[in-house]
Amino acid sequence: MEKSSSIPLRPRFQIDVEENIDSVRQKFVEHKTSISAGIFMKIRNYHIQYTFSGERQKYWSPHLSIDLEEKEGNEKNATHIRGMYGPAQTLWTFFMFLHFIIAGVFILFMMFAFSNAMIHKPFTNDVIVMTLMVFCWFLLYFIARQIRTNGYDQMRELEDEFNKIIP
């Protein structure tokens, strides 16, 4: 996974393993006791989540969510692993909330501008607010890219920890 050329803010991966889903899950359970310091692993059924804990936890620290699924057609002798790197759920929810607020304000002022244009009133202020909302949207995007860049080294640590279990 390259740092600068990948576009998604929440990188994903998929791996197929020729092992039973329960034996793959058991590998994660066994590895939980010997996990690196500062990394926390939570296992719930067939969902595993890696996070940073203690002083290593920053607002930009990534999380690795892994889902184990039985691969179809192999008589339950293979496992499909889906992984996704992302920010903390609260940070992601906050960013999505800001996106919806910005979109709502943009649409509201677009309606005001259209109404004012129809009744031949000036709508310059409405267009200025709409332009500011577009600027805010780009600003949020670049902030999210910067957060991802800040967490890139920790993302590599989580990937290395995952690769200890599934090479």
Side-chain angles (χ1 to χ4, degrees):
M1 180 175 4
E2 292 184 31
K3 183 164 133 179
S4 59
S5 66
S6 63
I7 293 174
L9 293 175
R10 295 173 56 168
R12 301 168 192 264
F13 64 89
Q14 297 180 13
I15 299 173
D16 290 328
V17 179
E18 296 299 323
E19 292 182 48
N20 185 318
I21 189 170
D22 292 318
S23 64
V24 173
R25 182 185 183 280
Q26 189 59 35
K27 284 183 178 182
F28 282 98
V29 170
E30 291 169 2
H31 182 71
K32 188 174 182 179
T33 60
S34 63
I35 198 163
S36 299
I39 297 178
F40 177 71
M41 181 195 299
K42 186 183 337 180
I43 301 173
R44 297 283 186 254
N45 296 328
Y46 296 107
H47 179 78
I48 296 108
Q49 184 158 5
Y50 286 93
T51 59
F52 285 91
S53 60
E55 292 180 10
R56 299 194 63 206
Q57 172 82 30
K58 308 291 183 207
Y59 74 92
W60 43 261
S61 292
H63 293 234
L64 173 58
S65 296
I66 299 168
D67 289 313
L68 305 176
E69 302 170 354
E70 287 182 352
K71 188 174 178 187
E72 295 180 12
N74 282 2
E75 299 171 6
K76 298 185 179 187
N77 290 330
T79 303
H80 184 70
I81 300 173
R82 296 177 187 266
M84 180 179 65
Y85 296 96
Q89 288 84 2
T90 52
L91 181 65
W92 185 255
T93 304
F94 179 66
F95 262 83
M96 290 298 102
F97 173 74
L98 291 178
H99 279 281
F100 287 121
I101 292 297
I102 289 171
V105 170
F106 180 86
I107 291 170
L108 184 69
F109 277 88
M110 186 172 62
M111 289 187 303
F112 291 160
F114 181 74
S115 297
N116 286 336
M118 289 293 112
I119 59 174
H120 304 294
K121 285 191 172 183
F123 55 92
T124 309
N125 292 338
D126 301 327
V127 173
I128 290 172
V129 171
M130 289 169 43
T131 305
L132 284 173
M133 291 303 105
V134 170
F135 174 76
C136 288
W137 182 78
F138 278 112
L139 183 65
L140 277 180
Y141 177 76
F142 288 115
I143 289 171
R145 296 275 303 209
Q146 185 61 44
I147 288 172
R148 186 190 67 184
T149 302
N150 289 348
Y152 187 76
D153 292 333
Q154 286 186 338
M155 187 172 20
R156 282 289 181 207
E157 282 184 58
L158 292 177
E159 183 178 26
D160 291 341
E161 200 66 41
F162 171 75
N163 287 334
K164 289 178 185 176
I165 302 168
I166 307 295

